[in-house]
């Protein structure tokens, strides 16, 4: 239903889009199977954007960023429901669309009595960002901050957070950044 609604909205905007049948479990093995209607368990949407084929799943939550950077799971192959399409289409992605990058910074004062400052900056893109957005919506920033503090206290028992986790999103790149300060 969401794929059909999305295609209808795109067509109203003058953008040609089509449903694409995928198998979320078989993925790469799908091409080795004999053709059958029951091989597909999910419908996504495909469209051409600036000469490049894009695959979009309107059922995924928390997608942010530019169109060409939106995360799409790698289902390997899709059957595009369009006149003239008679074979599976490879779902090739030219750029990584999901990652986590974490940087830890320590500031150690010359004074023995002054506490060490510790900052963790984590960047999330794609499905890792979607999962983090979901966690934040479900648990809230306060619980997320408490959970992170408890996690680091296993290594540094005297560690205390100096602020709640700061959450920012770069809407152009779709990168979610969490900054923790201890």
């Amino acid at each position: 239903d969401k794929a059909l609604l999305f295609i209808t909205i795109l067509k109203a905007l003058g953008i040609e889009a089509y449903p694409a049948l995928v198998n979320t479990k078989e993925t790469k093995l799908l091409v080795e199977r004999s053709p059958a209607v029951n091989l597909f368990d999910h419908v996504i949407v495909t469209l051409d954007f600036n000469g490049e084929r894009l695959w979009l799943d309107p059922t995924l939550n928390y997608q942010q960023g530019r169109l060409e950077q939106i995360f799409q799971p790698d289902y390997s192959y899709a059957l595009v429901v369009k006149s003239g399409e008679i074979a599976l289409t490879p779902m090739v992605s030219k750029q990584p669309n999901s990652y986590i990058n974490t940087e830890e910074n320590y500031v150690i004062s010359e004074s023995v009595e002054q506490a060490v400052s510790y900052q963790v900056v984590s960047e999330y893109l794609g499905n890792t960002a979607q999962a983090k957005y979901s966690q934040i919506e479900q648990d809230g920033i306060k619980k997320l901050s408490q959970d992170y503090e408890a996690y680091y206290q296993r290594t540094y028992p005297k560690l205390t957070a100096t602020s709640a986790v700061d959450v920012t999103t770069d809407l152009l790149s779709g990168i979610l950044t969490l900054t923790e300060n201890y």
Side-chain angles (χ1 to χ4, degrees):
D1 291 343
K2 288 182 180 181
L4 178 59
L5 176 62
F6 186 48
I7 290 168
T8 303
I9 291 169
L10 290 172
K11 286 192 180 188
L13 294 170
I15 300 169
E16 204 169 315
Y18 298 94
L21 306 175
V22 296
N23 186 309
T24 60
K25 295 170 189 73
E26 296 280 332
T27 63
K28 290 182 173 104
L29 300 175
L30 185 63
V31 74
E32 298 172 8
R33 305 277 310 264
S34 299
V37 174
N38 64 348
L39 289 180
F40 305 101
D41 61 1
H42 191 53
V43 181
I44 61 173
V45 175
T46 187
L47 59 102
D48 287 322
F49 180 73
N50 291 337
E52 187 175 333
R53 183 179 291 249
L54 297 181
W55 306 94
L56 303 169
D57 187 344
T59 67
L60 295 177
N61 295 323
Y62 310 108
Q63 296 216 19
Q64 297 188 24
R66 295 189 336 236
L67 185 59
E68 65 271 14
Q69 294 174 324
I70 290 179
F71 171 75
Q72 173 56 52
D74 181 8
Y75 297 130
S76 297
Y77 294 95
L79 180 60
V80 179
V81 182
K82 176 182 175 186
S83 179
E85 295 280 339
I86 59 170
L88 294 173
T89 301
M91 296 177 65
V92 179
S93 177
K94 293 181 181 173
Q95 64 185 39
N97 58 4
S98 184
Y99 72 83
I100 299 173
N101 182 51
T102 301
E103 182 179 307
E104 298 177 284
N105 299 299
Y106 299 86
V107 177
I108 303 171
S109 171
E110 290 184 24
S111 170
V112 177
E113 291 152 19
Q114 192 171 18
V116 172
S117 173
Y118 177 48
Q119 183 181 64
V120 181
V121 179
S122 301
E123 293 180 333
Y124 301 86
L125 179 68
N127 69 327
T128 61
Q130 291 171 344
K132 195 55 69 176
Y133 281 121
S134 178
Q135 180 186 8
I136 291 168
E137 182 178 291
Q138 196 170 47
D139 299 339
I141 297 292
K142 183 177 180 181
K143 179 159 179 6
L144 180 72
S145 298
Q146 291 168 342
D147 289 349
Y148 282 2
E149 182 177 37
Y151 172 80
Y152 288 112
Q153 283 175 340
R154 285 185 241 148
T155 304
Y156 309 110
K158 294 182 181 181
L159 175 136
T160 56
T162 59
S163 62
V165 174
D166 181 51
V167 179
T168 58
T169 302
D170 181 334
L171 294 178
L172 290 178
S173 67
I175 294 174
L176 167 68
T177 303
L178 301 184
T179 304
E180 308 162 55
N181 290 293
Y182 304 99

